[in-house]
Amino acid sequence: MDNLSILVAFTAGLLSFLSPCVFPLLPAYIATLTGSTVSDKVNVNKKLVFTRSISFILGFSIIFVLLGVSASFIGQMFMENRNIVEKISGLLIIIFGLQMVGLLQLKFLMREKRIHMQSKRAGAGPSFLIGMAFAFGWSPCVGVVLSSILLLAASHETVSSGVILLSVYSLGLGIPFLMVSILVTYSLKVVRNINSILPKLSVVNGWILIGLGLLLFTGQFQRISAWLATFTYFG
């Protein structure tokens, strides 16, 4: 497992968190998980937010890791044709990036799969289940970036690579989720400020995916990974 792939996976988690279909809904997530109300902040005990958020994060992390295992297992079956796998993966990631930038409008990538979350306090167990439901595809914003990481996992040689990549992806999504969930118990200002730049972030995210796809398609991703590995601070 190379450090560049790990960095890409963590960044992808951050991109998913900052997607227009996840970040603006964060106060609603927290209110549902804790049974609280929303005014100028989420009115709830901070310890309760922490425990419910952890359960939610563990829920989606388990599903993401299982998806990573599946992607890596499928990728292993095609390792004899690794170059073809990388080119196909790269091409698909480019298509996902073009979709996010707005240069493509493929309807099947725009379908939403939303879950209905109850308004009363979810509890630790239900919060875990809601997190699992979230992982199965809340919206195409998450699905496009997640699919790119699954394709990256499929291009690696071992199943453990899929576990690592999707665990890191989950950290990239979960750490800011936990941090902002605590912040919104003080004020919703941070959500409002970031909401104003989300459309621009979506375009930036799309170009990042296009760049990743091009690197995979041309075979430069592995070369860059090998070059970075020569530096001592990359282990």
Side-chain angles (χ1 to χ4, degrees):
M1 172 57 57
D2 54 90
N3 292 282
L4 181 58
S5 294
I6 292 174
L7 177 61
V8 168
F10 186 81
T11 302
L14 291 175
L15 299 185
S16 294
F17 175 72
L18 293 171
S19 63
C21 43
V22 174
F23 187 81
L25 299 176
L26 185 59
Y29 282 128
I30 302 305
T32 299
L33 294 175
T34 60
S36 58
T37 59
V38 181
S39 53
D40 59 334
K41 64 178 182 178
V42 177
N43 301 292
V44 68
N45 180 274
K46 294 166 182 59
K47 181 179 179 180
L48 186 63
V49 170
F50 182 84
T51 56
R52 295 292 187 270
S53 296
I54 289 293
S55 295
F56 180 81
I57 291 167
L58 288 175
F60 68 64
S61 296
I62 286 177
I63 299 301
F64 288 154
V65 170
L66 290 176
L67 290 174
V69 170
S70 299
S72 295
F73 180 77
I74 293 173
Q76 274 191 313
M77 296 177 4
F78 296 95
M79 269 302 110
E80 292 182 0
N81 300 298
R82 180 170 179 174
N83 290 334
I84 295 176
V85 172
E86 288 184 347
K87 288 186 181 300
I88 293 175
S89 298
L91 183 59
L92 290 174
I93 293 174
I94 291 172
I95 292 173
F96 294 153
L98 291 173
Q99 178 79 13
M100 291 192 70
V101 170
L103 297 178
L104 286 180
Q105 295 292 328
L106 302 177
K107 292 184 179 180
F108 71 93
L109 291 178
M110 298 173 69
R111 294 176 183 167
E112 294 187 344
K113 297 180 180 178
R114 293 178 178 261
I115 56 175
H116 175 69
M117 297 190 294
Q118 55 191 7
S119 59
K120 62 183 180 179
R121 180 179 299 180
S127 296
F128 180 81
L129 295 176
I130 290 173
M132 294 178 70
F134 169 88
F136 280 115
W138 176 260
S139 77
C141 299
V142 173
V144 166
V145 179
L146 174 61
S147 296
S148 299
I149 298 304
L150 291 175
L151 288 169
L152 182 61
S155 70
H156 282 73
E157 297 179 355
T158 63
V159 172
S160 61
S161 296
V163 174
I164 294 172
L165 282 180
L166 273 298
S167 295
V168 173
Y169 171 84
S170 298
L171 285 175
L173 178 56
I175 290 174
F177 184 98
L178 185 61
M179 293 174 62
V180 177
S181 68
I182 298 298
L183 288 176
V184 297
T185 63
Y186 293 96
S187 172
L188 295 180
K189 185 177 180 181
V190 63
V191 176
R192 296 191 185 103
N193 290 340
I194 296 179
N195 276 346
S196 63
I197 62 172
L198 281 183
K200 294 181 180 178
L201 285 176
S202 182
V203 174
V204 172
N205 296 347
W207 285 113
I208 291 175
L209 288 185
I210 292 171
L212 172 61
L214 286 172
L215 288 177
L216 271 179
F217 185 83
T218 59
Q220 295 302 311
F221 189 89
Q222 296 297 330
R223 292 191 180 119
I224 293 175
S225 298
W227 176 72
L228 290 175
T230 62
F231 294 91
T232 55
Y233 51 82
F234 278 89

